[in-house]
Amino acid sequence: AQAMLRARLHMAARCALSSRGAGLLTLPKPEFTTLYYASLNNLYDPATNANGLVNFAVAENQLAQPMLEERLRAVGSGAAPTSLAYNPYSGNDRFRKAIARVISKHIAGRIVNHNHLLLSSGAGSSLWLLAAALADNADGIVVPAPYYYAYDRDFVALTGCRLIVSHGGERGDPLEPSALTAVVDKAAKEGTRCRVLVVTTPNNPTGEVVKADRMRKIIDWAGKHDMHVIVNELYACSVHAGRFPS
């Protein structure tokens, strides 16, 4: 029964992804990756592991490592030797733990497990990766106006997706469920399937913070329309009063 449940959950996860995202799940794990990480536990050392492995398969400049470590220590970075080597694709564990502590204390208001974090080089690349994993070419990504101008590039340039802008209905609220429904229905009539809703809080450029009860309504609406929600909290530590409702 547990195996069947896991299979169903795996299938549901694949269906929730874009076809390219689901396709990545079917790729075999590269043999090199397995062998490389296994070798890290059995590296050659003349004093302690004379029968260990000497890995010639990575482009790491170990000749310069002592000099770099000395420079890093001189500025108090606390960087470990592993910081100068290849690290897990999800991000360096030490760095992920530090980020998790910041998020737990200043944003989430609860303990965040660092194993649930995936790091990338900047907010723009994170948004692009999410869009590529959740939406296919020509799918719609809904953003409320006004929005950060670079969304035109971050969500569209490398994914082939379309940016669908919600300007708000009669009440002028672009995140009001009826306004979002009207935008998604209009896009569908024009041949665009909307897969993702983007919420930026605090908003850029207005600074508006989406309160918790409002966010729940937005997420409930997205669930009813089989849409993902990407919440960009880049400015979460820039609120002026009270605790940020992550």
Side-chain angles (χ1 to χ4, degrees), residues 149-233:
Y149 78 96
Y151 281 176
D152 290 312
R153 175 194 63 216
D154 295 338
F155 286 115
V156 174
L158 297 175
T159 64
C161 295
R162 289 187 56 205
L163 214 62
I164 307 296
V165 182
S166 172
H167 294 281
E170 294 180 358
R171 297 170 58 185
D173 180 0
L175 285 172
E176 207 276 323
S178 62
L180 292 171
T181 299
V183 167
V184 169
D185 288 348
K186 182 175 183 293
K189 290 178 181 178
E190 296 172 351
T192 298
R193 176 185 63 166
C194 292
R195 290 295 306 275
V196 176
L197 169 66
V198 179
V199 180
T200 306
T201 177
N203 180 268
N204 179 2
T206 67
E208 179 189 14
V209 175
V210 178
K211 291 189 167 67
D213 57 344
R214 188 177 177 214
M215 182 66 79
R216 291 189 192 97
K217 292 178 181 178
I218 292 168
I219 292 174
D220 287 343
W221 173 89
K224 292 174 183 176
H225 288 78
D226 293 325
M227 290 177 60
H228 297 278
V229 180
I230 296 175
V231 183
N232 181 354
E233 298 181 344

Side-chain angles (χ1 to χ4, degrees), residues 32-157:
F32 168 80
T33 303
T34 303
L35 293 174
Y36 169 70
Y37 284 110
S39 75
L40 296 181
N41 297 318
N42 188 30
L43 292 177
Y44 169 80
D45 184 278
T48 62
N49 193 18
N51 293 320
L53 300 174
V54 178
N55 193 338
F56 290 103
V58 292
E60 296 175 354
N61 187 349
Q62 296 184 0
L63 294 175
Q65 185 169 317
M67 179 187 69
L68 291 172
E69 288 181 18
E70 182 180 350
R71 295 287 183 90
L72 290 169
R73 283 194 297 270
V75 297
S77 77
T82 53
S83 301
L84 304 175
Y86 283 99
N87 281 270
Y89 297 131
S90 57
N92 177 283
D93 271 359
R94 182 167 172 264
F95 188 33
R96 285 197 298 161
K97 288 177 181 178
I99 294 294
R101 287 195 295 271
V102 172
I103 294 175
S104 300
K105 181 178 180 180
H106 298 289
I107 301 176
R110 60 183 178 82
I111 299 300
V112 173
N113 187 332
H114 76 281
N115 288 314
H116 296 164
L117 299 181
L118 189 152
L119 306 184
S120 70
S121 56
S125 59
S126 297
L127 297 175
W128 160 55
L129 289 169
L130 284 169
L134 300 176
D136 280 308
N137 184 65
D139 279 346
I141 296 179
V142 179
V143 296
Y147 62 89
Y148 175 48
Y149 78 96
Y151 281 176
D152 290 312
R153 175 194 63 216
D154 295 338
F155 286 115
V156 174

